[in-house]
Amino acid sequence: MNIREKTIPVMVGNVQIGGNNDVVIQSMTNTKTSDVKNTLNQIHDLCKNGCKLVRVSIFDDQDSKSLKEIVLKSPIPIIADIHFNHQFAIDAIKSGVAKIRLNPGNIFDDNQLKEIITLAKKAKVAIRIGVNSGSIPNDILDKYGVSAKSMIKTVEQYICKFEALDFRNIVISLKCSDPLLTIESYKLASEKFKYPLHIGVTEAGSKTSGIIKSCAGLSPLLYAGIGNTIRVSLTGNPIQEMEVCKKLLNSFDLYKDVVNIISCPTCGRLNFALEDVVNEIEKYTKNMEFPIKISILGCVVNGIGEGKEADIGIAGSKEKGIIFRKGRIVKTVEEKQLVPELKKMIDEEYERYKKLNN
Protein backbone atom coordinates (compact mmCIF):
# COMPACT_ATOMS: atom_id res chain seq x y z
CA MET A 1 0.00 0.00 0.00
CA ASN A 2 1.48 3.37 -1.00
CA ILE A 3 1.24 6.65 0.91
CA ARG A 4 -1.76 7.81 -1.13
CA GLU A 5 -3.81 4.75 -0.19
CA LYS A 6 -3.08 5.15 3.53
CA THR A 7 -5.18 8.29 3.79
CA ILE A 8 -8.68 7.96 5.19
CA PRO A 9 -11.50 8.21 2.62
CA VAL A 10 -13.52 11.43 2.68
CA MET A 11 -16.79 12.06 0.84
CA VAL A 12 -17.12 15.32 -1.10
CA GLY A 13 -20.68 15.16 -2.32
CA ASN A 14 -20.86 11.97 -4.35
CA VAL A 15 -17.09 11.84 -4.91
CA GLN A 16 -14.96 9.84 -2.51
CA ILE A 17 -11.33 10.92 -2.20
CA GLY A 18 -8.51 9.28 -0.31
CA GLY A 19 -8.03 5.61 0.40
CA ASN A 20 -7.50 3.57 -2.77
CA ASN A 21 -9.52 5.94 -4.98
CA ASP A 22 -8.06 7.52 -8.11
CA VAL A 23 -6.45 10.95 -7.90
CA VAL A 24 -9.30 13.41 -8.50
CA ILE A 25 -8.91 16.42 -10.80
CA GLN A 26 -10.09 19.71 -9.32
CA SER A 27 -10.27 23.29 -10.56
CA MET A 28 -11.70 26.70 -9.66
CA THR A 29 -13.94 29.04 -11.62
CA ASN A 30 -12.62 32.50 -12.48
CA THR A 31 -16.04 34.04 -13.13
CA LYS A 32 -17.77 36.27 -10.61
CA THR A 33 -19.75 33.74 -8.58
CA SER A 34 -22.78 36.01 -8.47
CA ASP A 35 -22.84 35.77 -12.27
CA VAL A 36 -24.68 32.47 -12.03
CA LYS A 37 -25.13 31.89 -15.75
CA ASN A 38 -21.46 32.28 -16.68
CA THR A 39 -20.30 30.45 -13.58
CA LEU A 40 -22.50 27.46 -14.38
CA ASN A 41 -21.41 27.54 -18.03
CA GLN A 42 -17.80 27.34 -16.92
CA ILE A 43 -18.55 24.55 -14.44
CA HIS A 44 -20.26 22.51 -17.17
CA ASP A 45 -17.27 23.08 -19.48
CA LEU A 46 -14.87 21.99 -16.75
CA CYS A 47 -16.95 18.90 -16.09
CA LYS A 48 -16.99 17.95 -19.78
CA ASN A 49 -13.21 18.24 -19.82
CA GLY A 50 -12.54 15.95 -16.85
CA CYS A 51 -13.02 18.07 -13.73
CA LYS A 52 -14.61 16.17 -10.82
CA LEU A 53 -14.69 18.87 -8.13
CA VAL A 54 -14.90 22.64 -8.57
CA ARG A 55 -14.27 25.51 -6.18
CA VAL A 56 -16.00 28.89 -6.37
CA SER A 57 -14.96 32.07 -4.58
CA ILE A 58 -17.30 33.66 -2.03
CA PHE A 59 -16.17 37.25 -1.95
CA ASP A 60 -19.34 39.15 -1.01
CA ASP A 61 -23.04 38.83 -0.16
CA GLN A 62 -24.05 38.51 -3.81
CA ASP A 63 -21.70 35.55 -4.27
CA SER A 64 -23.02 33.94 -1.11
CA LYS A 65 -26.64 34.32 -2.17
CA SER A 66 -25.91 32.76 -5.57
CA LEU A 67 -24.54 29.52 -4.15
CA LYS A 68 -27.83 27.71 -3.70
CA GLU A 69 -28.73 27.91 -7.39
CA ILE A 70 -25.19 26.98 -8.45
CA VAL A 71 -25.20 23.92 -6.18
CA LEU A 72 -28.60 22.87 -7.48
CA LYS A 73 -27.62 23.11 -11.15
CA SER A 74 -23.98 22.02 -11.03
CA PRO A 75 -23.11 18.59 -12.52
CA ILE A 76 -20.24 18.16 -10.01
CA PRO A 77 -19.78 18.89 -6.29
CA ILE A 78 -19.22 22.52 -5.35
CA ILE A 79 -16.54 23.73 -2.93
CA ALA A 80 -16.94 27.18 -1.41
CA ASP A 81 -13.74 29.20 -0.96
CA ILE A 82 -14.06 31.15 2.29
CA HIS A 83 -11.80 33.91 3.58
CA PHE A 84 -12.21 36.03 6.74
CA ASN A 85 -16.03 36.04 6.89
CA HIS A 86 -17.22 33.02 8.87
CA GLN A 87 -20.87 33.81 8.06
CA PHE A 88 -20.17 33.03 4.41
CA ALA A 89 -19.04 29.56 5.52
CA ILE A 90 -22.24 29.07 7.49
CA ASP A 91 -24.36 30.23 4.55
CA ALA A 92 -22.41 28.03 2.11
CA ILE A 93 -23.07 24.93 4.19
CA LYS A 94 -26.75 25.82 4.38
CA SER A 95 -26.75 26.27 0.59
CA GLY A 96 -25.72 22.65 0.15
CA VAL A 97 -22.06 22.83 -0.86
CA ALA A 98 -20.12 19.58 -0.63
CA LYS A 99 -17.01 21.13 0.91
CA ILE A 100 -15.71 24.45 2.17
CA ARG A 101 -12.14 25.64 2.07
CA LEU A 102 -10.92 27.53 5.13
CA ASN A 103 -7.57 29.27 5.43
CA PRO A 104 -6.22 29.07 9.01
CA GLY A 105 -4.48 32.38 8.43
CA ASN A 106 -7.72 34.34 8.23
CA ILE A 107 -10.35 32.64 10.38
CA PHE A 108 -9.14 33.66 13.84
CA ASP A 109 -12.07 33.39 16.24
CA ASP A 110 -12.34 29.92 17.84
CA ASN A 111 -16.04 30.37 18.58
CA GLN A 112 -16.72 31.14 14.93
CA LEU A 113 -14.65 28.14 13.90
CA LYS A 114 -16.59 25.94 16.31
CA GLU A 115 -19.87 27.14 14.80
CA ILE A 116 -18.63 26.24 11.30
CA ILE A 117 -17.37 22.82 12.36
CA THR A 118 -20.54 21.95 14.25
CA LEU A 119 -22.76 22.79 11.30
CA ALA A 120 -20.47 21.05 8.79
CA LYS A 121 -20.49 17.90 10.91
CA LYS A 122 -24.28 17.91 11.05
CA ALA A 123 -24.58 18.50 7.29
CA LYS A 124 -21.79 15.97 6.45
CA VAL A 125 -19.85 18.65 4.61
CA ALA A 126 -16.09 18.20 4.20
CA ILE A 127 -13.67 20.96 5.13
CA ARG A 128 -10.34 21.62 3.44
CA ILE A 129 -7.78 23.18 5.72
CA GLY A 130 -6.03 25.18 3.04
CA VAL A 131 -2.75 26.70 4.16
CA ASN A 132 -0.61 28.71 1.80
CA SER A 133 2.78 30.26 2.33
CA GLY A 134 1.33 33.78 2.32
CA SER A 135 -1.12 33.25 5.18
CA ILE A 136 0.83 31.61 8.00
CA PRO A 137 -0.24 33.03 11.41
CA ASN A 138 2.20 35.60 12.77
CA ASP A 139 3.19 33.66 15.89
CA ILE A 140 4.25 30.65 13.80
CA LEU A 141 5.80 32.86 11.12
CA ASP A 142 7.92 34.69 13.71
CA LYS A 143 9.24 31.39 15.05
CA TYR A 144 9.80 29.35 11.87
CA GLY A 145 9.65 31.81 8.97
CA VAL A 146 8.17 30.73 5.64
CA SER A 147 9.11 27.05 5.69
CA ALA A 148 7.70 23.56 5.45
CA LYS A 149 7.76 23.40 9.22
CA SER A 150 5.68 26.57 9.62
CA MET A 151 3.15 25.22 7.09
CA ILE A 152 2.87 21.93 9.00
CA LYS A 153 2.62 23.69 12.36
CA THR A 154 -0.24 25.84 11.02
CA VAL A 155 -2.16 22.78 9.79
CA GLU A 156 -1.44 20.86 12.97
CA GLN A 157 -2.74 23.70 15.13
CA TYR A 158 -5.98 23.81 13.17
CA ILE A 159 -6.48 20.04 13.01
CA CYS A 160 -6.33 19.87 16.81
CA LYS A 161 -9.33 22.19 16.97
CA PHE A 162 -11.28 20.05 14.50
CA GLU A 163 -10.45 16.75 16.20
CA ALA A 164 -11.35 18.21 19.60
CA LEU A 165 -14.88 18.54 18.20
CA ASP A 166 -14.71 15.00 16.75
CA PHE A 167 -14.64 16.32 13.18
CA ARG A 168 -12.53 14.24 10.79
CA ASN A 169 -14.08 14.93 7.39
CA ILE A 170 -10.90 16.82 6.57
CA VAL A 171 -8.78 17.47 3.48
CA ILE A 172 -5.42 19.26 3.73
CA SER A 173 -3.52 21.48 1.32
CA LEU A 174 -0.20 23.29 1.78
CA LYS A 175 0.24 25.36 -1.34
CA CYS A 176 2.98 27.80 -2.19
CA SER A 177 4.48 29.23 -5.37
CA ASP A 178 7.89 27.62 -4.77
CA PRO A 179 7.99 24.04 -6.14
CA LEU A 180 10.76 22.97 -3.75
CA LEU A 181 8.86 24.22 -0.71
CA THR A 182 5.73 22.55 -2.07
CA ILE A 183 7.51 19.19 -2.29
CA GLU A 184 9.01 19.46 1.18
CA SER A 185 5.73 20.54 2.80
CA TYR A 186 3.64 17.77 1.26
CA LYS A 187 6.20 15.11 2.05
CA LEU A 188 6.13 16.13 5.71
CA ALA A 189 2.33 16.25 5.65
CA SER A 190 2.10 12.74 4.19
CA GLU A 191 4.23 11.43 7.06
CA LYS A 192 2.34 13.28 9.77
CA PHE A 193 -1.34 13.31 8.77
CA LYS A 194 -3.81 10.60 7.75
CA TYR A 195 -6.15 12.92 5.90
CA PRO A 196 -6.37 13.23 2.07
CA LEU A 197 -4.03 15.77 0.50
CA HIS A 198 -5.04 18.23 -2.21
CA ILE A 199 -1.82 19.01 -4.07
CA GLY A 200 -0.96 21.99 -6.21
CA VAL A 201 1.50 24.81 -6.76
CA THR A 202 -0.33 28.08 -6.11
CA GLU A 203 0.16 31.22 -8.20
CA ALA A 204 2.08 29.08 -10.67
CA GLY A 205 1.77 31.64 -13.46
CA SER A 206 0.77 31.80 -17.12
CA LYS A 207 0.53 28.71 -19.28
CA THR A 208 4.20 27.98 -20.01
CA SER A 209 5.74 28.94 -16.68
CA GLY A 210 2.73 27.63 -14.77
CA ILE A 211 2.93 24.19 -16.38
CA ILE A 212 6.68 23.97 -15.77
CA LYS A 213 6.43 25.01 -12.10
CA SER A 214 3.44 22.75 -11.48
CA CYS A 215 5.07 19.72 -13.07
CA ALA A 216 8.31 20.40 -11.18
CA GLY A 217 6.46 20.57 -7.87
CA LEU A 218 3.86 17.86 -8.39
CA SER A 219 5.73 15.14 -10.28
CA PRO A 220 7.92 14.10 -7.32
CA LEU A 221 4.82 13.92 -5.12
CA LEU A 222 2.83 11.80 -7.57
CA TYR A 223 5.82 9.51 -8.06
CA ALA A 224 6.06 9.07 -4.28
CA GLY A 225 2.34 8.23 -4.04
CA ILE A 226 1.39 11.56 -2.46
CA GLY A 227 -1.79 13.43 -3.41
CA ASN A 228 -5.47 12.51 -3.54
CA THR A 229 -6.83 15.50 -5.43
CA ILE A 230 -4.88 17.76 -7.78
CA ARG A 231 -5.08 21.16 -9.41
CA VAL A 232 -2.67 22.69 -11.88
CA SER A 233 -3.21 26.40 -11.27
CA LEU A 234 -2.80 28.48 -14.41
CA THR A 235 -3.55 32.14 -15.03
CA GLY A 236 -6.50 32.42 -17.40
CA ASN A 237 -9.35 30.15 -18.43
CA PRO A 238 -9.37 27.13 -16.07
CA ILE A 239 -10.36 24.80 -18.92
CA GLN A 240 -6.67 24.70 -19.94
CA GLU A 241 -5.87 23.18 -16.53
CA MET A 242 -7.82 20.02 -17.38
CA GLU A 243 -5.61 18.88 -20.25
CA VAL A 244 -2.45 19.46 -18.21
CA CYS A 245 -3.83 17.57 -15.21
CA LYS A 246 -4.89 14.60 -17.32
CA LYS A 247 -1.61 14.35 -19.16
CA LEU A 248 0.42 14.76 -15.97
CA LEU A 249 -1.55 12.00 -14.24
CA ASN A 250 -1.34 9.83 -17.34
CA SER A 251 2.45 10.12 -17.22
CA PHE A 252 2.32 8.29 -13.88
CA ASP A 253 -0.33 5.81 -15.04
CA LEU A 254 -2.89 7.51 -12.79
CA TYR A 255 -5.33 8.56 -15.53
CA LYS A 256 -6.24 6.06 -18.21
CA ASP A 257 -8.70 7.68 -20.60
CA VAL A 258 -6.36 10.05 -22.40
CA VAL A 259 -5.08 10.16 -25.97
CA ASN A 260 -1.29 10.14 -25.69
CA ILE A 261 0.41 11.48 -28.82
CA ILE A 262 4.10 10.69 -29.18
CA SER A 263 6.07 12.72 -31.72
CA CYS A 264 9.77 13.15 -32.40
CA PRO A 265 11.60 16.45 -31.84
CA THR A 266 12.56 16.56 -35.57
CA CYS A 267 15.99 16.62 -37.14
CA GLY A 268 17.68 17.02 -40.53
CA ARG A 269 16.04 13.80 -41.80
CA LEU A 270 12.56 15.38 -41.64
CA ASN A 271 10.90 15.34 -45.05
CA PHE A 272 7.26 16.13 -44.32
CA ALA A 273 5.20 18.62 -42.30
CA LEU A 274 5.42 16.81 -38.97
CA GLU A 275 4.40 19.74 -36.77
CA ASP A 276 1.30 20.40 -38.86
CA VAL A 277 0.33 16.72 -38.70
CA VAL A 278 0.77 16.59 -34.92
CA ASN A 279 -1.38 19.72 -34.49
CA GLU A 280 -4.03 18.26 -36.81
CA ILE A 281 -4.20 14.94 -34.91
CA GLU A 282 -4.26 16.71 -31.53
CA LYS A 283 -7.22 18.76 -32.75
CA TYR A 284 -8.88 15.67 -34.23
CA THR A 285 -8.67 13.73 -30.94
CA LYS A 286 -9.35 16.68 -28.63
CA ASN A 287 -12.81 15.47 -27.59
CA MET A 288 -11.94 11.78 -27.49
CA GLU A 289 -11.35 10.23 -24.08
CA PHE A 290 -9.93 6.74 -24.34
CA PRO A 291 -6.56 5.13 -23.61
CA ILE A 292 -4.42 5.06 -26.74
CA LYS A 293 -0.82 5.88 -27.68
CA ILE A 294 -0.43 7.39 -31.14
CA SER A 295 3.07 7.79 -32.57
CA ILE A 296 3.77 10.42 -35.24
CA LEU A 297 7.38 10.29 -36.41
CA GLY A 298 9.28 12.30 -38.95
CA CYS A 299 11.09 9.58 -40.87
CA VAL A 300 11.19 5.83 -41.39
CA VAL A 301 14.85 5.45 -40.35
CA ASN A 302 13.99 4.51 -36.78
CA GLY A 303 10.25 5.06 -36.79
CA ILE A 304 9.33 1.52 -35.83
CA GLY A 305 11.92 1.38 -33.07
CA GLU A 306 10.86 4.67 -31.52
CA GLY A 307 7.17 3.96 -31.99
CA LYS A 308 7.09 0.30 -30.96
CA GLU A 309 5.30 1.04 -27.68
CA ALA A 310 2.53 2.94 -29.45
CA ASP A 311 -0.79 1.34 -30.31
CA ILE A 312 -0.84 2.88 -33.77
CA GLY A 313 1.29 5.35 -35.66
CA ILE A 314 2.86 6.73 -38.80
CA ALA A 315 6.37 7.53 -39.95
CA GLY A 316 6.50 9.97 -42.83
CA SER A 317 8.75 10.84 -45.70
CA LYS A 318 8.70 13.12 -48.74
CA GLU A 319 6.99 10.62 -51.03
CA LYS A 320 5.88 7.59 -49.02
CA GLY A 321 5.45 6.67 -45.39
CA ILE A 322 4.54 3.71 -43.22
CA ILE A 323 1.53 2.89 -41.09
CA PHE A 324 2.26 0.68 -38.10
CA ARG A 325 0.39 -1.01 -35.26
CA LYS A 326 2.09 -2.28 -32.08
CA GLY A 327 5.50 -1.89 -33.71
CA ARG A 328 4.66 -3.84 -36.87
CA ILE A 329 4.28 -2.30 -40.31
CA VAL A 330 0.71 -2.52 -41.60
CA LYS A 331 1.20 -0.85 -44.96
CA THR A 332 3.18 1.67 -46.96
CA VAL A 333 1.19 4.56 -48.44
CA GLU A 334 1.66 7.78 -50.36
CA GLU A 335 2.56 10.72 -48.13
CA LYS A 336 -0.80 12.40 -48.72
CA GLN A 337 -2.59 9.28 -47.40
CA LEU A 338 -0.74 9.11 -44.08
CA VAL A 339 -3.06 11.39 -42.11
CA PRO A 340 -6.36 10.02 -43.53
CA GLU A 341 -5.17 6.46 -42.81
CA LEU A 342 -4.15 7.43 -39.28
CA LYS A 343 -7.50 9.10 -38.62
CA LYS A 344 -9.27 5.98 -39.88
CA MET A 345 -7.31 3.80 -37.44
CA ILE A 346 -8.02 6.23 -34.57
CA ASP A 347 -11.75 6.08 -35.34
CA GLU A 348 -11.68 2.28 -35.39
CA GLU A 349 -9.91 2.12 -32.03
CA TYR A 350 -12.27 4.70 -30.52
CA GLU A 351 -15.38 2.85 -31.70
CA ARG A 352 -13.98 -0.43 -30.38
CA TYR A 353 -13.32 1.17 -27.00
CA LYS A 354 -16.84 2.65 -26.79
CA LYS A 355 -18.44 -0.70 -27.60
CA LEU A 356 -16.42 -2.45 -24.92
CA ASN A 357 -17.27 0.17 -22.30
CA ASN A 358 -20.98 0.75 -22.94
Side-chain angles (χ1 to χ4, degrees):
M1 179 179 287
N2 65 29
I3 294 171
R4 186 178 299 113
E5 293 170 336
K6 290 179 181 177
T7 61
I8 62 172
V10 169
M11 293 302 300
V12 181
N14 62 354
V15 177
Q16 187 182 69
I17 61 175
N20 62 358
N21 291 288
D22 292 339
V23 179
V24 172
I25 296 173
Q26 183 173 314
S27 188
M28 185 175 186
T29 58
N30 67 354
T31 55
K32 187 76 174 77
T33 305
S34 57
D35 183 350
V36 174
K37 181 180 178 181
N38 282 328
T39 299
L40 282 170
N41 284 342
Q42 194 169 82
I43 291 170
H44 278 274
D45 285 344
L46 285 165
C47 179
K48 284 188 288 187
N49 283 275
C51 186
K52 303 299 182 185
L53 299 171
V54 65
R55 183 160 49 114
V56 298
S57 178
I58 309 304
F59 181 71
D60 53 32
D61 287 332
Q62 287 73 32
D63 291 340
S64 184
K65 290 173 182 175
S66 301
L67 261 182
K68 195 167 187 177
E69 183 178 355
I70 292 170
V71 168
L72 184 65
K73 295 179 179 179
S74 172
I76 53 178
I78 296 293
I79 302 162
D81 194 55
I82 307 296
H83 290 274
F84 299 105
N85 191 326
H86 98 288
Q87 188 57 49
F88 289 160
I90 298 297
D91 294 341
I93 295 169
K94 290 179 178 178
S95 294
V97 298
K99 183 169 80 170
I100 59 172
R101 183 263 182 148
L102 299 179
N103 189 325
N106 52 41
I107 297 288
F108 309 105
D109 190 301
D110 283 350
N111 289 326
Q112 291 180 349
L113 183 61
K114 182 178 179 180
E115 186 181 357
I116 294 169
I117 294 170
T118 301
L119 186 59
K121 184 178 179 181
K122 184 178 179 181
K124 297 183 178 178
V125 169
I127 296 179
R128 167 151 71 103
I129 300 174
V131 179
N132 62 52
S133 56
S135 60
I136 299 167
N138 288 332
D139 59 330
I140 295 176
L141 193 62
D142 291 342
K143 191 170 183 178
Y144 300 105
V146 177
S147 63
K149 192 166 186 179
S150 66
M151 302 270 279
I152 294 296
K153 286 287 183 183
T154 302
V155 172
E156 190 174 37
Q157 193 177 77
Y158 232 50
I159 283 177
C160 287
K161 296 177 182 181
F162 282 72
E163 291 182 338
L165 295 169
D166 194 31
F167 187 92
R168 290 175 172 78
N169 206 20
I170 296 169
V171 180
I172 297 168
S173 68
L174 308 99
K175 291 187 177 182
C176 52
S177 58
D178 180 344
L180 292 175
L181 182 55
T182 297
I183 295 165
E184 186 181 0
S185 298
Y186 276 108
K187 282 187 174 180
L188 286 176
S190 70
E191 295 167 4
K192 193 166 189 67
F193 306 121
K194 59 188 175 182
Y195 299 108
L197 296 174
H198 171 65
I199 61 173
V201 177
T202 192
E203 300 164 357
S206 59
K207 189 169 184 179
T208 300
S209 61
I211 290 172
I212 292 169
K213 287 174 70 175
S214 292
C215 289
L218 301 181
S219 292
L221 300 176
L222 294 170
Y223 181 74
I226 298 169
N228 304 98
T229 68
I230 185 171
R231 181 187 177 195
V232 171
S233 300
L234 301 175
T235 301
N237 191 327
I239 302 300
Q240 65 185 337
E241 299 177 2
M242 297 301 100
E243 182 180 8
V244 181
C245 273
K246 289 190 284 187
K247 289 187 175 179
L248 178 57
L249 291 174
N250 179 257
S251 298
F252 292 93
D253 202 28
L254 297 171
Y255 192 96
K256 306 295 184 185
D257 291 349
V258 65
V259 175
N260 188 354
I261 296 176
I262 302 163
S263 62
C264 60
T266 73
C267 69
R269 294 191 299 268
L270 183 65
N271 279 311
F272 87 122
L274 177 68
E275 186 176 359
D276 292 342
V277 171
V278 171
N279 290 336
E280 184 175 347
I281 297 302
E282 284 183 341
K283 185 177 180 180
Y284 188 73
T285 59
K286 183 176 178 62
N287 295 317
M288 295 180 180
E289 284 205 6
F290 74 116
I292 187 171
K293 288 183 180 180
I294 304 168
S295 185
I296 304 172
L297 302 172
C299 71
V300 298
V301 173
N302 50 9
I304 293 298
E306 292 181 0
K308 65 182 178 182
E309 294 182 6
D311 298 298
I312 57 176
I314 59 173
S317 70
K318 189 174 182 180
E319 297 178 355
K320 291 185 178 182
I322 57 173
I323 309 288
F324 54 88
R325 184 189 296 273
K326 300 291 186 183
R328 300 186 66 179
I329 297 174
V330 175
K331 64 174 81 171
T332 300
V333 299
E334 298 293 325
E335 188 269 337
K336 65 182 179 181
Q337 290 300 314
L338 280 171
V339 172
E341 287 285 344
L342 181 58
K343 287 181 178 179
K344 181 181 176 183
M345 292 175 74
I346 292 170
D347 290 342
E348 290 171 352
E349 294 293 332
Y350 189 38
E351 289 304 315
R352 185 179 296 116
Y353 174 80
K354 287 193 293 184
K355 285 179 182 178
L356 290 172
N357 289 274
N358 278 342

